[in-house]
Amino acid sequence: MTGEEYIDRADESLDAAYEAPMSLAEYVDTVLETPQVAAHASKYLLDAIEAAGTRTVIEEGEEKERYRFFDDPHNDGEHAILGNTEVLNAFVDDLRSIAAGRGKDEKIIWLEGPTATGKSELKRCLINGLREYSKTPAGRRYTVEWNVAGAGGSATSLTYGNAAVEDEDDWYESPVQAHPLTVFPDDVRTDLLAEVNERLDDHIPIRVDGQLDPFSREAYDFLEEQYRRQGETDLFSAVTQPAHLRVKNFVVDVGHGIGILHSEDEGTPKERLVGSWMHGMLRELDSRGRKNPQAFSYDGVLSQGNGLLTVVEDAAQHADLLQKLLNVPDESHVKLDKGIGMDVDTQLIIISNPDLEAQLNKHADREGQDPLKALKRRLDKHEFTYLTNLSLEAQLLRRELTNETEVWDPESWEELETWIQEPLTISVRDEVESATDKELAPHTVESAALYAVVSRLDSAEIPTGLDLVDKALLFDRGYLMEGDERVDIDDYDLETTAEDGDHGIPVTYVRDIIADLLHEPQDRHHPDLPVEHVLMPRDVLNAVAEGLEDAPVFSTGEATEYEERVVTVKNYIFGQQEQDVLDAMMRDKRVDEATVEEYIEHVYAWESDDQIENERGELVDPDPLKMKVFEIEHLGRFDEKNYDGNEPDHAVEQFRTDKIITALNRHAWQRRDEEFRVGDVNPKEIPVINTVLGSYDWDDIQRTYEDFEPGQWDNPPSGTETARLKEKTLDNMVELFDYTPASAELTSRHVMSQVSYRWD
C-alpha cells in the first residue's frame, strides 16, 4: 500500500467511529430508533460483553460457555484473559443483576487474586473492548456540548479558561460525559424512557437517573436566566436549541467514560475521587460569591469514569479511599464541595492482591464493632486463581516468552494437544547485539506449563490410582484413556477444591527461569554434543525445581512441596518423548486409513452375518482372513493360537463386539435421523483403533527390527540396521513432530539411554 492509501484507511476508520453532532431532538429520535445507545453504565458494559458472543471451552474438566469479549478480540488477543471463565461469568452475572436493579445496586465489584492471574489483563481488556464497541453503530456513546457565547446579548462565555472564543471554539463538552437525557425535566424524562423501554428488545430496561453534571448545570442555568430576562416563554426550547446545545458521540477511553486509579496516583481522597479546585480560576469567573464548577478539574477517577466504568487498581494502595466510596453505588452521588454535588452513573470495580483482604480484616476480632463492616458488606468479591489447565498455561507461557497474542480456539483436543507440544524458537541477543535463534524443543513449553499446573493442584483430593499429572490432564481435556477405554472426568470421584489454583508456581517465575537459560552457554547443558541452541524439557524442569529454594516468592515448605512434584512431570514428559521416537521408528509400518476402514467394514459385515454396503456403494462380504491379518499384524492383540484356521475364538469375537461394534452402534444411534453408513465413521472415534494404531511399544520395535541395538544409538556403526533406523527416525521426527535435527538428536539419545539398559 502507498502512503496515501494508508491515510485513506485512517480516514475511513475515524469516519466509522464518529458522527456529526446532532440536535437534542435528533438524538431523541435516534434513541427511539436504537434504544440501546441510551443504556446506563452497567447495562452498556453488559451489552458490550454480550455483543462479542460466546464460545465453548473446557476448564477443570467441564464444558463452559465463555464470553469472547474477555479474549480481547478487538486487539488481536493481546490482553486476553486466559482461564478463570467461571469467575468472569460470575462477574457478568453480577453486572446483569446490577443493570436490572435486582438488589445489587449498592455493590462494588471486587476482583482479588495473587499476582499473574489475569487481573491487570482484565482491566486492559475492558478498556480495549469498550473503546472498540463504542466505535460501532450499536455501541455509540453520547454526551452534550454547550455554547453560551453571546447568549442574551451578553459577552460572557462559559469556558474552562479566561478567554472569550468564537465559532467551534465556543463549544464545551461536558467534562464528565453527561448523559443527554439528563437535560430533560424529570417528568418528561420518565415518559420518554417509558416509550424507549417499550421499544427495547431486552429484559433489562434502560435507567437514566440523576441530574445534569455541575458544569452543564452552570451552562443551563446561565442560558435559562438570560432567556427568562428576555421574556422567552419556551425556555427549554430556547436553552436547548442547536445554537446552544448539541449531542455528540465520543469514543470511550481512559479519561473519557473510563476512570482508572493507579497504585501510584496521589492526592487527597477528594482529588483522587472527583478532582480539585483550580483556585486561580475562581477569581476569573463570575461565580457570584460562590465556587464555580467551571473552575474544577474533573480529573478524579469518578469524573473520568462517569457514564461507564471506574476501576481502582491495586486497591490496597487506596484502602483509605474505599470507605469514601461507600455510598457512591447506592446513592449515585458524590460531592465536589459542600454546596456542589455530582450525580454519578458508573460501574465500580476494585482490583487487588490478597493483601487488601488482610487490611479489611484487621478489626474482624471486634465483630459487631468492626469499623470496616459496612465497607465489606458492599464488596462483592470474585477471586482469580492460577490456571489449572495445561493448555491455558502453555498458551500463557508462550505469550510471556514471545509476542504471540492469538487466542487458541481449537476444534478438537487433538489439535490443541499439537499446539501444546510444538516447539518454540526465540531470537536472543548477546552482549555484542548479535542475534541467535534458540529452540525450545518439542514438549519443552508443555513440560514447564505442566509443572506449574501440577504445583497448583490439591494433592489431597485425587482418586485412587491417579496422580497429579492425571488430574491436570482431566482438568484440561475432561477424560483419560485407561487402556482402550475412554473414561470421562464424571466417572472419577474428582471435584475441584478451594485449594486448586489458590497457590503454586506463577508463570512469571517460570518465564524468568527460561529467559535465564536462553542466555546461558549451550555447553552447560549438553557439553558432549555437537548441537547448539536447544533447550530440552529436562533442562527447564531441572532449572525450575532447583531455583525454588532460593526464590523469595516461595516459603521453605512450598519450595520443598513443589520440588517433590517434578518427578511425576518428568515421567510423563519422558513418556511423550518416548512415544514420538517410537512413532517415528515405526512410521513406515503404520497402517493406512484405507486398510483401517476396510477392517471396520468387514467386522460390521461379520457381526451382521450378511453383506453390507459401504460408502462407495459396494457390497462387502466379511473376509475372515483379512480380519485375522489385521488383528494380528496391525493391532498386535492376538496371535495364531486365537484362531482355528481363520475362525476367531471367543476372545477375538468378544473384542470385535465390545470394542468395534459397540462404537459403531453408538455412532449409528447418534445419526439415527440420517442415513448411516459404516464409511461415515471416523476411525479415530473408535477408541481401540485410535489408541492402538497410534501407539507402539518396544516389543513392536524388537519384533520389527531384529538386529536393532539401542546401546549403539549415539554412534551406530555404519551399514548396520541401527544406523539405518536412526537416520530414518530422525528424519521422521523432523517431518512428523516439527523437531529440528538438533532436538531430534537430543531427544532420541535421551530416550535410548533409558531404553538400552533394559533392552534385553
Side-chain angles (χ1 to χ4, degrees), residues 569-606:
V569 177
K570 285 184 175 180
N571 291 340
Y572 174 78
I573 294 299
F574 175 78
Q576 298 289 91
Q577 295 174 308
E578 183 180 34
Q579 196 58 56
D580 286 352
V581 173
L582 284 166
D583 287 347
M585 295 175 79
M586 294 291 288
R587 182 185 185 185
D588 296 344
K589 307 299 180 181
R590 185 182 299 275
V591 62
D592 60 75
E593 192 165 320
T595 302
V596 174
E597 291 176 353
E598 182 183 44
Y599 169 71
I600 293 173
E601 290 172 356
H602 282 274
V603 171
Y604 200 69
W606 166 82

Side-chain angles (χ1 to χ4, degrees), residues 185-203:
D186 290 346
D187 57 338
V188 177
R189 191 196 318 166
T190 298
D191 293 340
L192 174 55
L193 284 173
E195 183 175 352
V196 169
N197 285 320
E198 284 181 4
R199 303 186 183 202
L200 181 66
D201 185 20
D202 196 340
H203 65 285

Side-chain angles (χ1 to χ4, degrees), residues 21 233 258 267 283 293 298 307 331 391 418 423 428 431 437-438 515 627 660 729 745:
T233 56
I258 300 177
R283 294 191 298 270
Y298 296 100
E331 294 183 4
S391 55
T418 299
V428 178
E431 293 82 357
D437 285 342
K438 296 199 173 182
M627 289 184 283
I660 307 298
T729 299
E745 175 74 32

Side-chain angles (χ1 to χ4, degrees), residues 258-537:
I258 300 177
I260 306 290
L261 187 62
H262 301 91
S263 59
E264 65 271 18
D265 290 339
E266 298 178 345
T268 66
K270 183 62 64 68
E271 289 172 336
R272 284 176 284 162
L273 278 177
V274 286
S276 60
W277 292 105
M278 298 175 285
H279 297 286
M281 292 284 294
L282 292 173
R283 294 191 298 270
E284 305 292 337
L285 298 170
D286 178 18
S287 56
R288 289 160 289 184
R290 60 179 176 80
K291 287 184 178 179
N292 192 311
Q294 300 169 52
F296 203 76
S297 68
Y298 296 100
D299 58 3
V301 65
L302 288 175
S303 299
Q304 295 182 356
N306 187 52
L308 191 48
L309 177 67
T310 298
V311 178
V312 178
E313 187 182 49
D314 197 6
Q317 303 298 318
H318 298 284
D320 63 322
L321 195 67
L322 298 183
Q323 287 185 283
K324 304 292 184 182
L325 290 171
L326 269 180
N327 297 321
V328 171
D330 44 353
E331 294 183 4
S332 300
H333 189 83
V334 65
K335 285 189 174 182
L336 309 185
D337 200 55
K338 293 179 181 178
I340 304 174
M342 180 175 75
D343 289 325
V344 179
D345 176 30
T346 188
Q347 180 54 55
L348 270 168
I349 297 175
I350 68 171
I351 298 174
S352 79
N353 290 329
D355 51 353
L356 174 62
E357 186 159 18
Q359 292 187 47
L360 294 176
N361 288 330
K362 63 184 178 182
H363 303 298
D365 57 340
R366 296 169 59 179
E367 298 181 353
Q369 303 301 314
D370 185 351
L372 298 176
K373 187 174 182 179
L375 172 60
K376 290 190 285 187
R377 183 182 64 80
R378 282 176 169 83
L379 295 175
D380 198 358
K381 186 169 74 169
H382 300 279
E383 295 185 67
F384 276 67
T385 61
Y386 287 122
L387 298 176
T388 54
N389 276 57
L390 168 60
S391 55
L392 292 172
E393 186 69 15
Q395 185 178 177
L396 179 60
L397 183 55
R398 294 179 75 97
R399 283 168 167 261
E400 291 287 331
L401 292 168
T402 69
N403 292 321
E404 293 181 13
T405 60
E406 183 180 359
V407 175
W408 292 355
D409 189 9
E411 295 183 358
S412 66
W413 164 254
E414 288 74 23
E415 183 178 20
L416 183 58
E417 188 175 39
T418 299
W419 296 344
I420 295 170
Q421 297 175 352
E422 66 185 4
L424 181 63
T425 300
I426 298 177
S427 182
V428 178
R429 292 188 175 274
D430 60 21
E431 293 82 357
V432 294
E433 293 298 311
S434 61
T436 302
D437 285 342
K438 296 199 173 182
E439 178 195 3
L440 275 67
H443 302 292
T444 302
V445 172
E446 177 187 19
S447 67
L450 181 59
Y451 187 21
V453 168
V454 161
S455 75
R456 302 165 185 170
L457 298 178
D458 184 359
S459 59
E461 297 293 334
I462 303 179
T464 303
L466 301 185
D467 59 23
L468 284 170
V469 169
D470 294 326
K471 183 174 182 177
L473 296 177
L474 281 169
F475 275 5
D476 204 38
R477 64 192 185 196
Y479 68 89
L480 291 177
M481 297 301 298
E482 293 187 355
D484 300 333
E485 297 293 333
R486 168 176 165 154
V487 184
D488 292 331
I489 190 171
D490 293 338
D491 297 324
Y492 294 101
D493 185 18
L494 178 64
E495 295 182 357
T496 304
T497 72
E499 298 295 320
D500 289 323
D502 184 58
H503 61 283
I505 298 175
V507 67
T508 47
Y509 169 78
V510 178
R511 175 204 63 199
D512 293 345
I513 291 291
I514 294 176
D516 290 342
L517 291 175
L518 289 171
H519 287 88
E520 288 182 354
Q522 183 66 26
D523 58 9
R524 171 176 173 177
H525 305 289
H526 312 291
D528 60 326
L529 297 178
V531 295
E532 298 179 348
H533 315 313
V534 180
L535 275 182
M536 298 295 291

